[in-house]
Amino acid sequence: MPWIDACSTSDIDEEDLIRWDHAGKTFAIYHSPDGEFFATAGLCTHENIHLCDGLVMGNLIECPKHNGQFDYRTGEAMRAPVCVNLKTFPVKVEGDRVFVEVA
Amino acid sequence: MSKRDYSLFGPDAKRAVESGLTAAEWYHTEVPRKVMKDLMARSDQPAIRDTIILYGSMVLFAGIGIALWPSWWSAPFWLAYGVLYGSASDSRWHECSHGTAFKTPWMNNWVYQIASFMIMRNSATWRWSHARHHSETYFVGRDPEIAVMRPPEVAKLILNFFGILDVIKFFPNLVQNALFGPTAAEKTFVPESEWGKVQKVAIVHLSIYLATIALAVWMGSILPLMVVGLPRMYGAWHHVMTGLLQHGGLADNVIDHRLNSRTVYMNPISRFIYWNMNYHVEHHMFPMVPYHALPRLHEVIKDDLPPPNTSIAQAFAEMWPAIKRQVMNEDYFIKRDLPPTAKPYREDFHHYVPGMMPPAAAE
Ligand code: FES
């Protein structure tokens, strides 16, 4: 699987996320409060709303449409109305660059 | 003139999906990410304060009501208790179903469960119906929470100020849920994994009502029902009044909340009972913003919204004639002017839904 240079570490505030589009797919990249980076599919599994306008609280991302929540580290659906887990992607940081391994 | 079919299985429901209306993207006012993050931030403190005031007042009013019972002197205390039980529970149910009232999830859940019981809604069903109400606000045949269906039946709207129709509908549904789980219509928006929960909640609610009725029979008095159950009727008027204003007389089948929702400035008591849902355009556009931050959100985006109604009375004066007009012409709706600072209404989609919302019907 290729590692793709997605963004700079400074592009995402701590406890926040950004949208990242690559090869016709859309992703969400997160900067956790502990300074780690994570990546998931960009669209909520409930109704295909992009998570980039959502709210990061600790390790959770809350969807902006119906307040469904996922743990963005594992993709696990944590709060209704989301029932289906979110796909996650491996992330590594080299220097000040964030790389995502897209499947 | 088109004829609306509000059934979740009817032709309008099918048309809304086939036309692409249900998949269309809603209009949002642009708000800088930093500002929005600040507005979305969660906090326990305002909701803990409000919940203590709410439940404390309920205990106090019901206590005095019971102490003065059966004298008529108890009436004002029952009226106050009733509004908190039969109306404030609606806004608590609503805000906690979004999970935005408190920062701590179990607090949201507890207040949600209690409020669902008081407002006579199955907590496991209505969470889902409300999700649909947000994705497909006032899409005919898709939104299960349309308060004013067209052509409006004014007598029914008036009866519901006393919760009469809601309660008459609720009890057979409760028994059906308790015995067999969700109904066919409920199964269209409640995922199968939750059907068992719907039944469990219904059994708990039904048991409480049966115990209350048994106590009333044993005491030979309706007093227990004055505390549990009846306040959903004698205290419903406030949530019906504010609920009608949310979307009444405005457009349906549109994808711009400025066309189908109403923001109304209200007195502080009504805002406490309604938990700031008078900022209804703001709430629909940004359901992540907790109730206590809605006045701030309003300040941020108001230049992009139609001017708010200035009071409950003024909003009714706008809405009621429109509802009456819809009795004869169900395509009629109010279209409010936007200030010059606002982006134009997002009307592009209307053309793809033939017969559903001819723009010429608006004023
Ligand atoms: S679209 Fe994400 S919770 Fe509904």
mmCIF file of all heavy atoms in Angstrom, chain B residues 114-152:
data_model
loop_
_atom_site.group_PDB
_atom_site.id
_atom_site.type_symbol
_atom_site.label_atom_id
_atom_site.label_comp_id
_atom_site.label_asym_id
_atom_site.label_seq_id
_atom_site.Cartn_x
_atom_site.Cartn_y
_atom_site.Cartn_z
ATOM 1 N N ILE B 114 -35.972 10.487 31.128
ATOM 2 C CA ILE B 114 -37.047 11.053 31.965
ATOM 3 C C ILE B 114 -37.971 11.929 31.109
ATOM 4 O O ILE B 114 -39.197 11.839 31.178
ATOM 5 C CB ILE B 114 -36.440 11.869 33.132
ATOM 6 C CG1 ILE B 114 -35.660 10.926 34.063
ATOM 7 C CG2 ILE B 114 -37.517 12.626 33.909
ATOM 8 C CD1 ILE B 114 -34.772 11.643 35.069
ATOM 9 N N ALA B 115 -37.356 12.756 30.271
ATOM 10 C CA ALA B 115 -38.158 13.658 29.426
ATOM 11 C C ALA B 115 -39.004 12.850 28.432
ATOM 12 O O ALA B 115 -40.155 13.196 28.180
ATOM 13 C CB ALA B 115 -37.242 14.625 28.676
ATOM 14 N N SER B 116 -38.444 11.784 27.882
ATOM 15 C CA SER B 116 -39.202 10.963 26.923
ATOM 16 C C SER B 116 -40.442 10.393 27.590
ATOM 17 O O SER B 116 -41.521 10.367 27.001
ATOM 18 C CB SER B 116 -38.362 9.787 26.411
ATOM 19 O OG SER B 116 -37.240 10.248 25.742
ATOM 20 N N PHE B 117 -40.272 9.943 28.840
ATOM 21 C CA PHE B 117 -41.430 9.407 29.562
ATOM 22 C C PHE B 117 -42.494 10.491 29.725
ATOM 23 O O PHE B 117 -43.675 10.273 29.444
ATOM 24 C CB PHE B 117 -41.011 8.859 30.933
ATOM 25 C CG PHE B 117 -42.195 8.453 31.750
ATOM 26 C CD1 PHE B 117 -42.847 7.255 31.493
ATOM 27 C CD2 PHE B 117 -42.705 9.295 32.732
ATOM 28 C CE1 PHE B 117 -43.990 6.899 32.206
ATOM 29 C CE2 PHE B 117 -43.833 8.955 33.449
ATOM 30 C CZ PHE B 117 -44.480 7.745 33.193
ATOM 31 N N MET B 118 -42.070 11.674 30.185
ATOM 32 C CA MET B 118 -43.055 12.719 30.474
ATOM 33 C C MET B 118 -43.757 13.199 29.198
ATOM 34 O O MET B 118 -44.955 13.450 29.204
ATOM 35 C CB MET B 118 -42.370 13.891 31.187
ATOM 36 C CG MET B 118 -41.906 13.523 32.592
ATOM 37 S SD MET B 118 -41.529 14.927 33.646
ATOM 38 C CE MET B 118 -39.972 15.455 33.010
ATOM 39 N N ILE B 119 -43.015 13.297 28.106
ATOM 40 C CA ILE B 119 -43.623 13.827 26.879
ATOM 41 C C ILE B 119 -44.334 12.724 26.087
ATOM 42 O O ILE B 119 -44.927 12.965 25.042
ATOM 43 C CB ILE B 119 -42.565 14.573 26.017
ATOM 44 C CG1 ILE B 119 -43.189 15.513 24.994
ATOM 45 C CG2 ILE B 119 -41.575 13.628 25.351
ATOM 46 C CD1 ILE B 119 -43.909 16.692 25.568
ATOM 47 N N MET B 120 -44.331 11.500 26.636
ATOM 48 C CA MET B 120 -45.000 10.343 26.024
ATOM 49 C C MET B 120 -44.436 10.026 24.647
ATOM 50 O O MET B 120 -45.160 9.993 23.648
ATOM 51 C CB MET B 120 -46.519 10.555 25.966
ATOM 52 C CG MET B 120 -47.139 10.608 27.333
ATOM 53 S SD MET B 120 -48.939 10.589 27.266
ATOM 54 C CE MET B 120 -49.342 10.676 28.999
ATOM 55 N N ARG B 121 -43.132 9.817 24.630
ATOM 56 C CA ARG B 121 -42.494 9.351 23.403
ATOM 57 C C ARG B 121 -41.584 8.194 23.770
ATOM 58 O O ARG B 121 -40.905 8.262 24.799
ATOM 59 C CB ARG B 121 -41.647 10.453 22.758
ATOM 60 C CG ARG B 121 -42.503 11.521 22.161
ATOM 61 C CD ARG B 121 -41.720 12.670 21.604
ATOM 62 N NE ARG B 121 -42.632 13.788 21.431
ATOM 63 C CZ ARG B 121 -42.304 15.061 21.555
ATOM 64 N NH1 ARG B 121 -41.070 15.403 21.838
ATOM 65 N NH2 ARG B 121 -43.208 15.990 21.385
ATOM 66 N N ASN B 122 -41.568 7.202 22.951
ATOM 67 C CA ASN B 122 -40.676 6.071 23.200
ATOM 68 C C ASN B 122 -39.245 6.537 22.918
ATOM 69 O O ASN B 122 -38.922 6.932 21.804
ATOM 70 C CB ASN B 122 -41.069 4.911 22.287
ATOM 71 C CG ASN B 122 -40.281 3.663 22.608
ATOM 72 O OD1 ASN B 122 -39.054 3.686 22.665
ATOM 73 N ND2 ASN B 122 -40.979 2.566 22.824
ATOM 74 N N SER B 123 -38.396 6.488 23.949
ATOM 75 C CA SER B 123 -37.051 7.061 23.807
ATOM 76 C C SER B 123 -36.241 6.354 22.724
ATOM 77 O O SER B 123 -35.357 6.953 22.120
ATOM 78 C CB SER B 123 -36.310 7.004 25.138
ATOM 79 O OG SER B 123 -36.313 5.677 25.626
ATOM 80 N N ALA B 124 -36.547 5.086 22.478
ATOM 81 C CA ALA B 124 -35.767 4.335 21.477
ATOM 82 C C ALA B 124 -36.265 4.611 20.059
ATOM 83 O O ALA B 124 -35.516 4.484 19.111
ATOM 84 C CB ALA B 124 -35.826 2.846 21.767
ATOM 85 N N THR B 125 -37.524 4.994 19.906
ATOM 86 C CA THR B 125 -38.078 5.262 18.573
ATOM 87 C C THR B 125 -37.755 6.673 18.129
ATOM 88 O O THR B 125 -37.316 6.919 17.017
ATOM 89 C CB THR B 125 -39.624 5.137 18.593
ATOM 90 O OG1 THR B 125 -39.974 3.918 19.216
ATOM 91 C CG2 THR B 125 -40.199 5.227 17.205
ATOM 92 N N TRP B 126 -37.998 7.592 19.058
ATOM 93 C CA TRP B 126 -38.002 8.998 18.655
ATOM 94 C C TRP B 126 -36.625 9.552 18.368
ATOM 95 O O TRP B 126 -36.468 10.536 17.659
ATOM 96 C CB TRP B 126 -38.755 9.830 19.689
ATOM 97 C CG TRP B 126 -40.214 9.664 19.485
ATOM 98 C CD1 TRP B 126 -40.953 8.561 19.778
ATOM 99 C CD2 TRP B 126 -41.109 10.591 18.869
ATOM 100 N NE1 TRP B 126 -42.253 8.751 19.397
ATOM 101 C CE2 TRP B 126 -42.381 9.991 18.845
ATOM 102 C CE3 TRP B 126 -40.977 11.873 18.350
ATOM 103 C CZ2 TRP B 126 -43.493 10.624 18.313
ATOM 104 C CZ3 TRP B 126 -42.082 12.505 17.835
ATOM 105 C CH2 TRP B 126 -43.327 11.889 17.813
ATOM 106 N N ARG B 127 -35.609 8.934 18.900
ATOM 107 C CA ARG B 127 -34.249 9.349 18.572
ATOM 108 C C ARG B 127 -34.069 9.283 17.048
ATOM 109 O O ARG B 127 -33.444 10.138 16.441
ATOM 110 C CB ARG B 127 -33.282 8.370 19.239
ATOM 111 C CG ARG B 127 -31.936 8.935 19.555
ATOM 112 C CD ARG B 127 -31.052 7.823 20.079
ATOM 113 N NE ARG B 127 -31.101 7.598 21.518
ATOM 114 C CZ ARG B 127 -30.472 8.341 22.402
ATOM 115 N NH1 ARG B 127 -29.799 9.388 22.026
ATOM 116 N NH2 ARG B 127 -30.529 8.039 23.677
ATOM 117 N N TRP B 128 -34.658 8.233 16.460
ATOM 118 C CA TRP B 128 -34.475 8.010 15.020
ATOM 119 C C TRP B 128 -35.382 8.895 14.208
ATOM 120 O O TRP B 128 -35.002 9.355 13.130
ATOM 121 C CB TRP B 128 -34.710 6.529 14.694
ATOM 122 C CG TRP B 128 -33.795 5.684 15.498
ATOM 123 C CD1 TRP B 128 -34.051 5.109 16.706
ATOM 124 C CD2 TRP B 128 -32.419 5.396 15.207
ATOM 125 N NE1 TRP B 128 -32.940 4.473 17.168
ATOM 126 C CE2 TRP B 128 -31.926 4.617 16.268
ATOM 127 C CE3 TRP B 128 -31.579 5.705 14.138
ATOM 128 C CZ2 TRP B 128 -30.614 4.153 16.308
ATOM 129 C CZ3 TRP B 128 -30.285 5.236 14.176
ATOM 130 C CH2 TRP B 128 -29.812 4.478 15.249
ATOM 131 N N SER B 129 -36.590 9.096 14.705
ATOM 132 C CA SER B 129 -37.495 9.953 13.932
ATOM 133 C C SER B 129 -36.905 11.357 13.892
ATOM 134 O O SER B 129 -37.023 12.066 12.903
ATOM 135 C CB SER B 129 -38.891 9.984 14.548
ATOM 136 O OG SER B 129 -38.977 10.916 15.588
ATOM 137 N N HIS B 130 -36.231 11.737 14.975
ATOM 138 C CA HIS B 130 -35.685 13.089 14.996
ATOM 139 C C HIS B 130 -34.475 13.219 14.072
ATOM 140 O O HIS B 130 -34.254 14.286 13.487
ATOM 141 C CB HIS B 130 -35.343 13.505 16.420
ATOM 142 C CG HIS B 130 -35.195 14.991 16.524
ATOM 143 N ND1 HIS B 130 -36.226 15.860 16.270
ATOM 144 C CD2 HIS B 130 -34.121 15.767 16.782
ATOM 145 C CE1 HIS B 130 -35.804 17.105 16.392
ATOM 146 N NE2 HIS B 130 -34.522 17.082 16.691
ATOM 147 N N ALA B 131 -33.721 12.138 13.926
ATOM 148 C CA ALA B 131 -32.613 12.158 12.959
ATOM 149 C C ALA B 131 -33.188 12.407 11.564
ATOM 150 O O ALA B 131 -32.679 13.218 10.791
ATOM 151 C CB ALA B 131 -31.842 10.848 13.002
ATOM 152 N N ARG B 132 -34.278 11.733 11.252
ATOM 153 C CA ARG B 132 -34.928 11.928 9.946
ATOM 154 C C ARG B 132 -35.440 13.369 9.803
ATOM 155 O O ARG B 132 -35.320 13.986 8.750
ATOM 156 C CB ARG B 132 -36.063 10.910 9.792
ATOM 157 C CG ARG B 132 -36.877 10.996 8.522
ATOM 158 C CD ARG B 132 -36.159 10.540 7.270
ATOM 159 N NE ARG B 132 -36.007 9.106 7.139
ATOM 160 C CZ ARG B 132 -36.970 8.271 6.732
ATOM 161 N NH1 ARG B 132 -38.174 8.723 6.432
ATOM 162 N NH2 ARG B 132 -36.722 6.988 6.623
ATOM 163 N N HIS B 133 -36.002 13.891 10.895
ATOM 164 C CA HIS B 133 -36.514 15.273 10.848
ATOM 165 C C HIS B 133 -35.376 16.242 10.497
ATOM 166 O O HIS B 133 -35.597 17.244 9.821
ATOM 167 C CB HIS B 133 -37.133 15.633 12.200
ATOM 168 C CG HIS B 133 -37.538 17.077 12.331
ATOM 169 N ND1 HIS B 133 -38.506 17.666 11.535
ATOM 170 C CD2 HIS B 133 -37.115 18.061 13.171
ATOM 171 C CE1 HIS B 133 -38.652 18.940 11.892
ATOM 172 N NE2 HIS B 133 -37.813 19.209 12.868
ATOM 173 N N HIS B 134 -34.168 15.920 10.934
ATOM 174 C CA HIS B 134 -33.054 16.811 10.626
ATOM 175 C C HIS B 134 -32.524 16.620 9.215
ATOM 176 O O HIS B 134 -32.173 17.590 8.556
ATOM 177 C CB HIS B 134 -31.926 16.655 11.651
ATOM 178 C CG HIS B 134 -32.098 17.623 12.769
ATOM 179 N ND1 HIS B 134 -31.532 18.878 12.758
ATOM 180 C CD2 HIS B 134 -32.821 17.543 13.904
ATOM 181 C CE1 HIS B 134 -31.888 19.520 13.853
ATOM 182 N NE2 HIS B 134 -32.681 18.735 14.574
ATOM 183 N N SER B 135 -32.459 15.378 8.736
ATOM 184 C CA SER B 135 -31.945 15.186 7.365
ATOM 185 C C SER B 135 -32.940 15.678 6.349
ATOM 186 O O SER B 135 -32.563 16.123 5.281
ATOM 187 C CB SER B 135 -31.740 13.718 7.012
ATOM 188 O OG SER B 135 -31.351 12.997 8.075
ATOM 189 N N GLU B 136 -34.217 15.515 6.665
ATOM 190 C CA GLU B 136 -35.229 15.719 5.630
ATOM 191 C C GLU B 136 -36.355 16.594 6.178
ATOM 192 O O GLU B 136 -37.530 16.258 6.090
ATOM 193 C CB GLU B 136 -35.730 14.349 5.141
ATOM 194 C CG GLU B 136 -34.554 13.502 4.659
ATOM 195 C CD GLU B 136 -34.921 12.121 4.159
ATOM 196 O OE1 GLU B 136 -36.090 11.891 3.810
ATOM 197 O OE2 GLU B 136 -34.018 11.273 4.129
ATOM 198 N N THR B 137 -35.939 17.707 6.762
ATOM 199 C CA THR B 137 -36.882 18.604 7.418
ATOM 200 C C THR B 137 -38.009 19.022 6.476
ATOM 201 O O THR B 137 -37.764 19.630 5.439
ATOM 202 C CB THR B 137 -36.146 19.890 7.886
ATOM 203 O OG1 THR B 137 -34.925 19.512 8.509
ATOM 204 C CG2 THR B 137 -36.996 20.709 8.820
ATOM 205 N N TYR B 138 -39.218 18.676 6.868
ATOM 206 C CA TYR B 138 -40.422 19.071 6.105
ATOM 207 C C TYR B 138 -40.386 18.598 4.656
ATOM 208 O O TYR B 138 -40.889 19.277 3.754
ATOM 209 C CB TYR B 138 -40.703 20.581 6.246
ATOM 210 C CG TYR B 138 -41.599 20.818 7.458
ATOM 211 C CD1 TYR B 138 -41.137 20.486 8.737
ATOM 212 C CD2 TYR B 138 -42.902 21.298 7.342
ATOM 213 C CE1 TYR B 138 -41.951 20.630 9.852
ATOM 214 C CE2 TYR B 138 -43.721 21.449 8.458
ATOM 215 C CZ TYR B 138 -43.236 21.104 9.704
ATOM 216 O OH TYR B 138 -44.041 21.242 10.806
ATOM 217 N N PHE B 139 -39.789 17.418 4.425
ATOM 218 C CA PHE B 139 -39.975 16.770 3.129
ATOM 219 C C PHE B 139 -41.244 15.926 3.283
ATOM 220 O O PHE B 139 -41.311 15.041 4.147
ATOM 221 C CB PHE B 139 -38.819 15.820 2.776
ATOM 222 C CG PHE B 139 -37.503 16.492 2.461
ATOM 223 C CD1 PHE B 139 -36.382 15.717 2.174
ATOM 224 C CD2 PHE B 139 -37.374 17.875 2.440
ATOM 225 C CE1 PHE B 139 -35.160 16.312 1.884
ATOM 226 C CE2 PHE B 139 -36.159 18.474 2.157
ATOM 227 C CZ PHE B 139 -35.046 17.691 1.873
ATOM 228 N N VAL B 140 -42.206 16.184 2.434
ATOM 229 C CA VAL B 140 -43.489 15.498 2.551
ATOM 230 C C VAL B 140 -43.303 13.990 2.326
ATOM 231 O O VAL B 140 -42.697 13.577 1.335
ATOM 232 C CB VAL B 140 -44.494 16.077 1.537
ATOM 233 C CG1 VAL B 140 -45.814 15.312 1.566
ATOM 234 C CG2 VAL B 140 -44.719 17.554 1.826
ATOM 235 N N GLY B 141 -43.818 13.181 3.258
ATOM 236 C CA GLY B 141 -43.715 11.736 3.134
ATOM 237 C C GLY B 141 -42.427 11.168 3.722
ATOM 238 O O GLY B 141 -42.263 9.961 3.794
ATOM 239 N N ARG B 142 -41.510 12.031 4.127
ATOM 240 C CA ARG B 142 -40.231 11.551 4.646
ATOM 241 C C ARG B 142 -40.002 11.978 6.091
ATOM 242 O O ARG B 142 -39.412 11.257 6.880
ATOM 243 C CB ARG B 142 -39.073 12.089 3.787
ATOM 244 C CG ARG B 142 -39.094 11.598 2.361
ATOM 245 C CD ARG B 142 -38.653 10.156 2.245
ATOM 246 N NE ARG B 142 -37.295 9.953 2.726
ATOM 247 C CZ ARG B 142 -36.723 8.763 2.863
ATOM 248 N NH1 ARG B 142 -37.396 7.670 2.575
ATOM 249 N NH2 ARG B 142 -35.490 8.659 3.303
ATOM 250 N N ASP B 143 -40.444 13.179 6.437
ATOM 251 C CA ASP B 143 -40.212 13.708 7.782
ATOM 252 C C ASP B 143 -41.361 13.240 8.684
ATOM 253 O O ASP B 143 -42.509 13.622 8.472
ATOM 254 C CB ASP B 143 -40.167 15.242 7.698
ATOM 255 C CG ASP B 143 -39.929 15.894 9.053
ATOM 256 O OD1 ASP B 143 -39.958 15.185 10.076
ATOM 257 O OD2 ASP B 143 -39.724 17.127 9.088
ATOM 258 N N PRO B 144 -41.060 12.398 9.699
ATOM 259 C CA PRO B 144 -42.164 11.908 10.548
ATOM 260 C C PRO B 144 -42.596 12.914 11.609
ATOM 261 O O PRO B 144 -43.478 12.624 12.401
ATOM 262 C CB PRO B 144 -41.573 10.654 11.210
ATOM 263 C CG PRO B 144 -40.105 10.671 10.951
ATOM 264 C CD PRO B 144 -39.769 11.837 10.073
ATOM 265 N N GLU B 145 -41.987 14.100 11.641
ATOM 266 C CA GLU B 145 -42.306 15.067 12.700
ATOM 267 C C GLU B 145 -42.901 16.352 12.138
ATOM 268 O O GLU B 145 -42.598 17.442 12.615
ATOM 269 C CB GLU B 145 -41.041 15.374 13.512
ATOM 270 C CG GLU B 145 -40.533 14.167 14.283
ATOM 271 C CD GLU B 145 -39.327 14.471 15.169
ATOM 272 O OE1 GLU B 145 -38.994 15.664 15.353
ATOM 273 O OE2 GLU B 145 -38.713 13.513 15.667
ATOM 274 N N ILE B 146 -43.721 16.241 11.123
ATOM 275 C CA ILE B 146 -44.339 17.452 10.565
ATOM 276 C C ILE B 146 -45.539 17.835 11.430
ATOM 277 O O ILE B 146 -46.501 17.074 11.542
ATOM 278 C CB ILE B 146 -44.736 17.234 9.085
ATOM 279 C CG1 ILE B 146 -43.461 17.039 8.258
ATOM 280 C CG2 ILE B 146 -45.570 18.396 8.571
ATOM 281 C CD1 ILE B 146 -43.662 16.895 6.763
ATOM 282 N N ALA B 147 -45.458 19.029 12.051
ATOM 283 C CA ALA B 147 -46.495 19.421 13.001
ATOM 284 C C ALA B 147 -47.736 19.942 12.286
ATOM 285 O O ALA B 147 -48.854 19.757 12.745
ATOM 286 C CB ALA B 147 -45.948 20.487 13.951
ATOM 287 N N VAL B 148 -47.534 20.628 11.165
ATOM 288 C CA VAL B 148 -48.685 21.181 10.445
ATOM 289 C C VAL B 148 -48.693 20.584 9.044
ATOM 290 O O VAL B 148 -47.938 20.997 8.176
ATOM 291 C CB VAL B 148 -48.602 22.726 10.338
ATOM 292 C CG1 VAL B 148 -49.893 23.279 9.743
ATOM 293 C CG2 VAL B 148 -48.327 23.356 11.690
ATOM 294 N N MET B 149 -49.548 19.580 8.841
ATOM 295 C CA MET B 149 -49.648 18.982 7.516
ATOM 296 C C MET B 149 -50.631 19.794 6.693
ATOM 297 O O MET B 149 -51.590 20.349 7.222
ATOM 298 C CB MET B 149 -50.106 17.535 7.635
ATOM 299 C CG MET B 149 -49.093 16.692 8.394
ATOM 300 S SD MET B 149 -49.516 14.982 8.388
ATOM 301 C CE MET B 149 -48.142 14.293 9.317
ATOM 302 N N ARG B 150 -50.395 19.858 5.388
ATOM 303 C CA ARG B 150 -51.264 20.660 4.528
ATOM 304 C C ARG B 150 -52.229 19.774 3.749
ATOM 305 O O ARG B 150 -51.793 18.727 3.267
ATOM 306 C CB ARG B 150 -50.408 21.460 3.546
ATOM 307 C CG ARG B 150 -49.376 22.335 4.213
ATOM 308 C CD ARG B 150 -48.823 23.253 3.148
ATOM 309 N NE ARG B 150 -47.453 23.665 3.429
ATOM 310 C CZ ARG B 150 -46.686 24.229 2.521
ATOM 311 N NH1 ARG B 150 -47.129 24.428 1.300
ATOM 312 N NH2 ARG B 150 -45.466 24.606 2.816
ATOM 313 N N PRO B 151 -53.465 20.162 3.553
ATOM 314 C CA PRO B 151 -54.072 21.349 4.143
ATOM 315 C C PRO B 151 -54.240 21.163 5.652
ATOM 316 O O PRO B 151 -54.611 20.075 6.096
ATOM 317 C CB PRO B 151 -55.436 21.440 3.445
ATOM 318 C CG PRO B 151 -55.725 20.055 2.982
ATOM 319 C CD PRO B 151 -54.410 19.395 2.732
ATOM 320 N N PRO B 152 -53.956 22.207 6.431
ATOM 321 C CA PRO B 152 -53.991 22.049 7.884
ATOM 322 C C PRO B 152 -55.409 21.778 8.387
ATOM 323 O O PRO B 152 -56.377 22.303 7.846
ATOM 324 C CB PRO B 152 -53.505 23.405 8.397
ATOM 325 C CG PRO B 152 -52.985 24.146 7.220
ATOM 326 C CD PRO B 152 -53.623 23.573 6.001
#
